[in-house]
């Protein structure tokens, strides 16, 4: 594993020590100080390196196991594993492929369908009454060849004419909006709900009906504060996590 220098945690920080330890170990994994299939140093060595208790070390390791960075092999030890869990960082707005690439994950998208649909009340509530027609895209996202996210997307047809000519199994929707329609993506609002997968969604995502999934609704805006995209994604709870850093405001 190379030179494992001692790292001093901020013991006066409001951030728990086990979380600081976990984040430092993730940093080492991503920088390949800990490589895939490397065994983790013994608990006693980690305690000495970080100046923490055995309980703190075990809490950090348990989190890293649950987040897919480590795996415990009975009678052998704890090892770095190839991550198959998509950790969405909500601090910045990225496309699916950009986020997966940032984490070193293999990702691809399969376009299931694209069609023009007339605006319904829900779409009028988001986009207003100016847009009468929308492109509706159904896409299936894969992480490490596992179906991970099923997403339905609506884009106003009046600002994206002939959108159907693009193969969204091969190209990014965000990149297409930027490069071909000169839309400047600025920010997005997201809402999250825990739901159980319908039989239809479960079959596509290759999980059991009623399997726990995350329903994520996203409205994306351009630099003129206009909504330009609305998506409803169904994310497998075993393959996707969401994280965001919150700063305390006095």
């Amino acid at each position: 594993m190379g030179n494992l220098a001692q790292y001093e945690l901020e013991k006066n920080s409001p951030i728990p020590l086990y979380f600081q330890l976990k984040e430092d170990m993730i940093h080492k994994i991503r920088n390949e100080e800990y490589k895939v299939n490397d065994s983790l140093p013994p608990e006693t060595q980690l305690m000495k390196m970080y100046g923490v208790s055995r309980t703190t070390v075990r809490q950090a390791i348990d989190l890293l196991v649950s987040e897919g960075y480590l795996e415990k092999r009975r009678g052998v030890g704890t090892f770095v594993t190839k991550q198959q869990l998509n950790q969405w960082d909500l601090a910045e707005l990225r496309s699916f492929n950009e986020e997966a690439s940032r984490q070193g994950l293999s990702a691809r998208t399969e376009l299931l369908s694209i069609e023009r649909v007339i605006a319904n009340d829900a779409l009028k509530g988001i986009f207003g009454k100016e847009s009468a027609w929308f492109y509706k895209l159904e896409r299936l996202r894969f992480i490490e060849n596992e179906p991970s996210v099923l997403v339905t997307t609506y884009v106003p047809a009046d600002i994206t004419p002939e959108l159907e000519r693009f193969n969204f199994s091969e190209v990014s929707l965000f990149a297409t909006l930027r490069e071909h329609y000169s839309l400047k993506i600025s920010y997005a609002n997201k809402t999250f709900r825990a739901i159980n997968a319908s039989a239809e969604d479960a079959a596509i995502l290759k999980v059991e009906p009623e399997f726990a999934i995350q329903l994520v609704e996203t409205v994306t805006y351009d630099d003129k504060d206009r909504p330009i995209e609305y998506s409803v994604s169904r994310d497998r709870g075993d393959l996707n996590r969401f994280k965001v850093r919150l700063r305390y405001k006095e």
Side-chain angles (χ1 to χ4, degrees), residues 53-119:
S53 69
R54 188 182 301 271
T55 299
T56 298
V57 169
R58 288 181 175 176
Q59 283 180 299
I61 289 174
D62 287 345
L63 278 175
L64 290 165
V65 170
S66 70
E67 293 181 6
Y69 289 97
L70 302 176
E71 66 174 348
K72 293 182 178 180
R73 301 175 188 172
R74 187 181 298 274
V76 181
T78 303
F79 293 80
V80 178
T81 186
K82 182 173 175 60
Q83 193 181 4
Q84 294 185 330
L85 188 66
N86 188 22
Q87 300 269 354
W88 284 94
D89 187 347
L90 300 180
E92 295 182 1
L93 180 60
R94 300 185 181 94
S95 71
F96 175 82
N97 287 336
E98 289 169 342
E99 184 64 30
S101 176
R102 184 185 67 84
Q103 300 176 60
L105 297 172
S106 170
R108 64 183 176 90
T109 296
E110 180 181 331
L111 177 66
L112 304 180
S113 66
I114 181 170
E115 60 179 328
R116 278 170 59 100
V117 297
I118 197 165

Side-chain angles (χ1 to χ4, degrees), residues 132-143:
W133 290 88
F134 289 80
Y135 283 103
K136 177 184 178 182
L137 294 78
E138 293 280 0
R139 291 170 294 168
L140 181 60
R141 313 285 210 178
F142 292 81
I143 290 288

Side-chain angles (χ1 to χ4, degrees), residues 36-48:
V36 173
N37 289 324
D38 277 350
S39 61
L40 208 64
E43 288 182 356
T44 52
Q45 186 175 341
L46 291 172
M47 291 163 58
K48 182 177 180 180

Side-chain angles (χ1 to χ4, degrees), residues 6 10 29 36 47 49 55 73 79 98 103 111 130 133 140 145 152-153 165 177 188 195 199 206 225 248:
Q6 186 170 347
E10 297 181 25
I29 290 170
V36 173
M47 291 163 58
M49 285 170 55
T55 299
R73 301 175 188 172
F79 293 80
E98 289 169 342
Q103 300 176 60
L111 177 66
E130 293 78 12
W133 290 88
L140 181 60
N145 288 321
T152 305
T153 301
R165 75 182 190 270
L177 296 179
I195 64 170
K206 294 186 178 180
D225 292 328
Y248 178 69

